[in-house]
Amino acid sequence: NAGVTQTPKFRVLKTGQSMTLLCAQDMNHEYMYWYRQDPGMGLRLIHYSVGEGTTAKGEVPDGYNVSRLKKQNFLLGLESAAPSQTSVYFCASSDRGLAAYEQYFGPGTRLTVT
Amino acid sequence: RKEVEQDPGPFNVPEGATVAFNCTYSNSASQSFFWYRQDCRKEPKLLMSVYSSGNEDGRFTAQLNRASQYISLLIRDSKLSDSATYLCVVVSYNTDKLIFGTGTRLQVFP
């Protein structure tokens, strides 16, 4: 099993450009999450999904959109990138609920917005 | 005040040493607690859950003190491979969110 994979691994965007980050998991997990990690801030939840076709806002959703059309995929979109979105983005999945169970993380996407 | 606070370190210890980290949390409704490990430029991975009665996994011991609202991680007989950042994670069921600490960096030297 590959676990959780993310593409791309690195990306540089100019302010105002758009992009989509792809997360895929092969563990048949119901729950999937997008986090961002910034120095001195810890991991912060952007959006999450409790199942195929569902999405919900996390702690810092502004400027991002998500879609979960297939159970194994969770896409994070940036419609108009801003320098404040420079960060490392991690996708995660879990077998059950948000709170009580181990989350499996992908390797991360390093995004720089200039 | 941050919901979850950790000393960022770094804690520099020699191989074989015992080292302990604490993590304090502010929400008394917090109900689940975890320690994750994150290697440099890698993703976080679950190290262990923290139970009310405390729990041990080999050289690692995790404890919870609800009265003082902190959790701890003790590492005995440190190995070079223990060098990493240790993230404290707290969950409150009333908000249904995982709150990550900023991490404590451990560096074990020969």
Side-chain angles (χ1 to χ4, degrees), chain B residues 6-56:
Chain B
Q6 295 183 254
D7 181 339
F11 284 62
N12 296 306
V13 302
E15 275 187 289
T18 295
V19 62
F21 315 131
N22 280 349
C23 165
T24 59
Y25 60 94
S26 60
N27 187 347
S28 59
S30 300
Q31 295 183 274
S32 293
F33 309 89
F34 306 91
W35 284 102
Y36 275 70
R37 170 192 168 127
Q38 186 172 24
D39 292 308
C40 187
R41 301 180 73 83
K42 299 286 189 182
E43 70 273 21
K45 292 183 180 178
L46 180 67
L47 177 66
M48 58 198 305
S49 302
V50 186
Y51 304 125
S52 296
S53 56
N55 49 303
E56 189 173 308

Side-chain angles (χ1 to χ4, degrees), chain A residues 8-107:
Chain A
K9 288 187 167 53
F10 303 93
R11 185 72 185 268
V12 178
L13 286 180
K14 293 186 189 304
T15 297
Q17 288 185 318
S18 63
M19 76 165 293
T20 300
L21 283 68
L22 172 63
C23 175
Q25 53 94 3
D26 61 2
M27 297 174 282
N28 202 35
H29 284 171
E30 289 293 336
Y31 293 74
M32 297 187 73
Y33 319 87
W34 276 107
Y35 293 91
R36 59 178 289 174
Q37 186 174 37
D38 302 293
M41 298 291 292
L43 280 150
R44 292 181 293 169
L45 184 65
I46 304 171
H47 285 281
Y48 65 99
S49 168
V50 302
E52 182 179 314
T54 74
T55 62
K57 293 180 180 179
E59 182 185 355
V60 287
D62 293 342
Y64 305 95
N65 56 73
V66 287
S67 64
R68 183 101 181 265
L69 299 179
K70 293 183 179 180
K71 185 177 183 179
Q72 63 269 33
N73 295 336
F74 195 29
L75 279 63
L76 178 71
L78 285 72
E79 290 185 345
S80 179
S84 60
Q85 295 178 303
T86 293
S87 188
V88 180
Y89 291 85
F90 287 103
C91 176
S93 71
S94 67
D95 190 26
R96 287 175 243 178
L98 185 70
Y101 298 93
E102 178 178 3
Q103 295 194 1
Y104 296 82
F105 285 81

